[in-house]
Amino acid sequence: MPNRSSKRPRDVNSLAKFIADVATGQAELPKTDDGKDPAAVALGRKGGLKGGKARAVALSAKRRREIAQKAARKRWHGKA
C-alpha cells in the first residue's frame, strides 16, 4: 500500500509557518513524484477511459437492466 500521508504539517501553526516559508522562498514544496513510470500511468489511464464502455458492450441487455435496477434501489432506498 502506498504511503498517502501528506508531506505538509498537520498542525495549524506549523502549516502557517510552512506556507510562509514557501512564499518567501525559505522552503520548497515537497515533491509528489511517487516514482511511477509515466508510460505505465498513461497506459492505465487509457484503459480506464475505455473500461466502462467496453463493459457495457459486453453485458447483455438483461444484465444491464438488473444492474440499473439494483443501483436505483440503493439510490432511492428509504426516501419518500
Side-chain angles (χ1 to χ4, degrees):
M1 181 109 184
N3 182 7
R4 297 181 191 258
S5 65
S6 176
K7 303 296 184 205
R8 298 180 181 176
R10 297 189 71 153
D11 176 52
V12 176
N13 294 323
S14 298
L15 180 59
K17 181 186 180 315
F18 175 74
I19 292 171
D21 288 345
V22 169
T24 59
Q26 296 175 359
E28 295 209 9
L29 287 173
K31 302 289 182 196
T32 57
D33 182 18
D34 295 338
K36 295 180 182 177
D37 180 16
V41 170
L43 185 62
R45 172 132 175 84
K46 182 178 176 183
L49 290 176
K50 65 181 176 180
K53 292 178 185 174
R55 180 172 184 244
V57 169
L59 290 173
S60 68
K62 181 180 177 186
R63 182 66 181 130
R64 278 197 314 270
R65 180 181 164 106
E66 290 171 356
I67 292 169
Q69 286 177 338
K70 181 180 176 182
R73 278 195 300 271
K74 289 286 186 182
R75 191 179 308 118
W76 294 101
H77 178 71
K79 296 184 179 177

